[in-house]
Amino acid sequence: MSLSLGLDTGGTYTDAVIFDAAAGLVVAKAKALTTRHDLAIGIAEAAGKALDRAGADPAAIGLVSVSTTLATNALVEGQGGRVALVMIGFGEADLDKAGLRNALGDDPVQLLPGGHDIHGRAKPLDLAPLEARIDALGADVSAFAVAGYFAVRNPEHEIAVRDLIATRTGRAVTCSHELSSKLDGPRRALTTVLNARLIGLIARLIAATRGFLAERSITAPLMVVRGDGSLVSAEFATLRPIETILSGPAASVVGAHFLTGRDDGYVADIGGTTTDVAILDAGRPMLDPAGAEVGGHRTMVEAIDVHTYGLGGDSEIHLEDGALEPELCLGPRRLVPVSLLETLYPGQIVPHLKRQLDSPFAGRLDGRFAVQAGLPQDQYGGLTRSQADLFARIGDEPVPLDRLLRSTSEVATLDGLAARGLVLVAGFTPTDAGHVEGRFDHWNTDAAHLGAALFARRKDGRGRPIAASPEALARTVAERLVRLSAERVLQTGLAADGLSDRRLLASPLVQRALDRSGHYVRAALLLDRPVIGLGAGAASVYPGVGGLLAIEAVVPDHADVANAIGAVAGQIRVSAMAEIVPDDESGGFVVSGAAIEPPRQVLRSEKAALEAAAAACRVAAAAKAAAAGAGEPEIDVRSDVEAVTLDDRRQFVSATVTATATGRPAAV
């Protein structure tokens, strides 16, 4: 019997399942806390428990596959390594396109003369400006991103820059032509920057998983779920971590389909940091033709059409600014629950909470703590003097913010360290509220009650406490989480119908429909499919969501590990593409594409160009499938030709040839 080990590493939990694909059964499952400072700890605990519960022989494990929300969460929270962007043939104005400058922040940029034209013909490349800075850049960043003008037609300049950087610095380098074959250079550069920023994160995940497999003598191939639900080898994913954004949501849709047998539904997966809502339609996840959008960044990554919201069990709870009767706001930032922090550091949190509660006045920093995240030293580059000073004062044990921060300005400094993922901030969260209500008992209930009491005594605009008791606050938080979750499902459905304006959700009619309010006029909204709730907290959230939206709510068995189940059910799917355009100089046809070799060819006839493009793409797709870990892939080649008729004569305009290889992983 061949078994599969499915893993999902989320922002809060790491899930593991032992899955019998032939029987379609979950043999065993387990959960453990995701240990961000050392992912190996959480992976070993979850996977080890699952293997032990299944009594599985390591030799029986034929496939290991991992899905993850780590990359998604990093982009939502603005985290990741410091990178340098090298742009070839672009100008300063291009940084203002596609949100590139905003994504870069204060990360360094180097512009170089060079690049290619639309036909793949090169302009002179000058490496001297980069050579003058490269040693300093290599010491300041953890990875490089390289984007060349029309590199999708000819990548030779990107390759030259990549080789120079790799030789001189030893840092990881991502080239834009490796990630997308589509035009729009600034957005391709944005995708490349985000990829470079995530390399260290995914590399640590894969290394941690491999370490566990070696300890257990498991020799099965290791795969990673991409954002479209397909699988690739771990080696492939290490070079292209951006393709793992929305990996977790993609796996959850596959898992939801398997667990419920439903072909249609809103698949809503609530985790610690985010809620992901996707649409299951006719048994398949809907894809986003424009490219995945995460954390406000529109990338060129082909992925499921999933809406990722900064809303989860560990969402930061804060008050609406300036209101007389402020609403509770949840997210988008994740905090470590105080109940968990006391469990991790016994006796170090509750005394400070009691001290703060004994004070007659509510402090703005009450109930908040900070602790170093324990990331590798190579992630510390680029800290300002104030950041370095504050980071050193935090240390590797929790410090209450009321004793850590010396000025108001240090709040922003701390936020900057947290955004880099170097520091974890803890506070009262919906997970703590669940402990106060008795719905959860995973962690320290005393810390949760004290955190709730501190938050409850905060004042509204009229100077009154926002809640009468910790229990009243916990109920309000739970209700708010259900309400916001319902709004996120509704927002996803409206967007799928082409109504993506976020102001629509806040309109009086929509809010009246959700409130069931109105006297002379009442509004109702009809959703066409059930909501399928997934995640560890699904049972406490989605029945209420179904009630608000007046639709069926389905929370299946094993909903808490649906992502891990979906991780072992996918296929490998990769493609290679070439473009054909007329050549004005020779009267022939130019075949170009970054994925083919050579990247630019001139043929005399349209037929010859199409045949050459198909053959080159087939070879390239087969090579990519092998690199992605496919066993015996099937390759399909499609040609899309655009032509017009002028004066009764057919005139060739352009053509796109795409080869797609699909297949199951080559399991042992």
Side-chain angles (χ1 to χ4, degrees):
M1 177 177 65
S2 179
L3 300 174
S4 298
L5 169 60
L7 295 166
D8 176 71
T9 301
T12 301
Y13 283 111
T14 294
D15 302 333
V17 297
I18 304 299
F19 187 69
D20 184 343
L25 295 175
V26 175
V27 179
K29 65 180 181 179
K31 302 176 79 69
L33 286 172
T34 295
T35 45
R36 293 194 181 195
H37 68 287
D38 186 352
L39 296 171
I41 298 172
I43 290 171
E45 182 179 350
K49 286 179 181 177
L51 286 167
D52 293 342
R53 291 171 182 173
D57 182 350
I61 304 298
L63 176 68
V64 180
S65 188
V66 181
S67 70
T68 180
T69 61
L70 290 178
T72 307
N73 293 347
L75 296 185
V76 169
E77 297 176 8
Q79 296 180 0
R82 182 172 171 82
V83 305
L85 170 63
V86 181
M87 297 186 76
I88 311 164
F90 292 93
E92 183 75 23
D94 291 305
L95 293 174
D96 295 314
K97 301 174 182 176
L100 182 55
R101 193 182 295 276
N102 179 61
L104 280 165
D106 62 356
D107 287 1
V109 179
Q110 177 64 61
L111 302 177
L112 295 179
H116 295 77
D117 65 15
I118 192 171
H119 298 294
R121 292 186 289 255
K123 300 176 181 179
L125 173 65
D126 183 4
L127 296 174
L130 177 60
E131 290 175 329
R133 294 183 66 192
I134 192 167
D135 294 332
L137 289 174
D140 186 44
V141 302
S142 61
F144 284 79
V146 180
Y149 202 71
F150 278 112
V152 295
R153 297 292 166 82
N154 192 331
E156 62 182 1
H157 285 182
E158 286 193 351
I159 293 171
V161 171
R162 178 193 67 191
D163 292 346
L164 172 63
I165 293 171
T167 301
R168 289 278 293 271
T169 71
R171 297 294 192 188
V173 188
T174 301
C175 293
S176 75
H177 76 272
E178 298 168 334
L179 302 176
S180 178
S181 58
K182 297 179 181 178
L183 300 177
D184 190 344
R187 191 149 72 96
R188 195 159 23 87
L190 168 69
T191 305
T192 310
V193 165
L194 299 178
N195 187 82
R197 191 165 285 162
L198 295 170
I199 284 175
L201 182 71
I202 297 302
R204 290 195 296 274
L205 170 64
I206 291 172
T209 307
R210 287 198 185 282
F212 169 79
L213 298 179
E215 289 177 3
R216 288 297 186 113
S217 300
I218 295 174
T219 59
L222 175 60
M223 311 298 292
V224 178
V225 181
R226 294 201 296 181
D228 62 356
S230 66
L231 305 180
V232 293
S233 68
E235 294 80 6
F236 195 98
T238 300
L239 298 175
R240 299 172 176 83
I242 189 67
E243 295 183 2
T244 71
I245 61 172
L246 308 180
S247 163
S252 75
V253 174
V254 177
H257 186 230
F258 169 80
L259 290 172
T260 66
R262 303 290 185 99
D263 287 337
D264 302 286
Y266 292 96
V267 180
D269 188 352
I270 186 167
T273 307
T274 60
T275 291
D276 304 309
V277 186
I279 296 179
L280 179 64
D281 192 56
R284 298 175 62 86
M286 290 180 61
L287 298 182
D288 187 345
E293 181 177 8
V294 179
H297 305 298
R298 175 66 71 178
T299 72
M300 283 186 163
V301 178
E302 184 177 85
I304 66 170
D305 188 6
V306 62
H307 293 249
T308 299
Y309 306 100
L311 177 68
D314 298 346
S315 288
E316 177 181 21
I317 301 174
H318 50 104
L319 294 177
E320 180 185 11
D321 291 332
L324 287 177
E325 297 182 2
E327 284 192 330
L328 286 179
C329 302
L330 305 185
R333 186 168 70 159
R334 174 186 181 266
L335 300 183
V336 178
V338 290
S339 55
L340 171 57
L341 199 66
E342 172 65 24
T343 301
L344 297 175
Y345 300 91
Q348 297 189 44
I349 307 306
V350 166
H352 285 295
L353 296 174
K354 289 180 176 179
R355 171 181 60 80
Q356 293 167 351
L357 199 56
D358 285 341
S359 171
F361 303 105
R364 60 186 180 84
L365 300 177
D366 286 354
R368 293 290 177 96
F369 298 81
V371 63
Q372 287 188 7
L375 295 183
Q377 288 290 329
D378 63 359
Q379 300 296 307
Y380 297 167
L383 292 182
T384 65
R385 179 176 297 181
S386 59
Q387 286 177 329
D389 174 68
L390 181 59
F391 185 71
R393 293 187 350 240
I394 291 173
D396 57 4
E397 292 189 349
V399 184
L401 297 195
D402 66 341
R403 292 189 171 176
L404 170 69
L405 302 182
R406 298 170 178 171
S407 65
T408 302
S409 64
E410 285 197 334
V411 174
T413 304
L414 178 64
D415 289 344
L417 291 171
R420 288 278 302 274
L422 301 177
V423 168
L424 302 177
V425 178
F428 185 71
T429 69
T431 295
D432 294 309
H435 282 75
V436 173
E437 288 192 301
R439 292 182 287 107
F440 302 147
D441 59 1
H442 315 314
W443 302 321
N444 190 281
T445 301
D446 289 341
H449 272 275
L450 291 168
L454 284 168
F455 202 102
R457 69 175 189 170
R458 294 189 184 186
K459 302 297 192 294
D460 62 15
R462 294 187 172 90
R464 302 175 303 189
I466 63 168
S469 66
E471 291 75 17
L473 175 68
R475 286 194 298 273
T476 301
V477 170
E479 292 168 358
R480 188 67 178 152
L481 181 59
V482 169
R483 174 57 175 258
L484 291 176
S485 298
E487 290 184 1
R488 300 303 169 254
V489 171
L490 177 58
Q491 185 174 343
T492 301
L494 291 171
D497 268 339
L499 302 173
S500 57
D501 190 335
R502 296 181 181 181
R503 293 173 297 180
L504 180 61
L505 191 67
S507 68
L509 280 178
V510 171
Q511 292 299 310
R512 178 173 288 193
L514 291 173
D515 291 337
R516 304 284 198 277
S517 63
H519 181 64
Y520 295 106
V521 177
R522 294 188 179 185
L525 295 164
L526 300 177
L527 281 71
D528 74 330
R529 61 196 68 208
V531 58
I532 301 173
L534 304 178
S540 64
V541 174
Y542 290 106
V545 169
L548 284 177
L549 297 177
I551 56 175
E552 181 186 6
V554 181
V555 180
D557 292 338
H558 308 302
D560 56 332
V561 292
N563 294 34
I565 294 170
V568 293
Q571 285 191 322
I572 290 170
R573 184 179 185 274
V574 294
S575 62
M577 188 175 74
E579 299 280 350
I580 303 173
V581 294
D583 183 26
D584 296 334
E585 294 181 358
S586 68
F589 299 82
V590 177
V591 179
S592 62
I596 64 175
E597 184 61 37
R600 185 176 188 273
Q601 307 169 36
V602 180
L603 284 303
R604 290 190 174 184
S605 69
E606 177 184 338
K607 179 181 178 182
L610 288 168
E611 290 175 350
C617 287
R618 183 180 291 274
V619 171
K624 288 182 70 174
E632 298 179 356
E634 296 182 0
I635 300 177
D636 175 67
V637 180
R638 188 185 69 191
S639 298
D640 296 314
V641 179
E642 182 179 354
V644 296
T645 301
L646 298 175
D647 297 329
D648 296 328
R649 294 185 59 183
R650 179 181 177 276
Q651 185 73 39
F652 176 87
V653 176
S654 66
T656 301
V657 177
T658 306
T660 302
T662 58
R664 283 287 293 166
V668 296

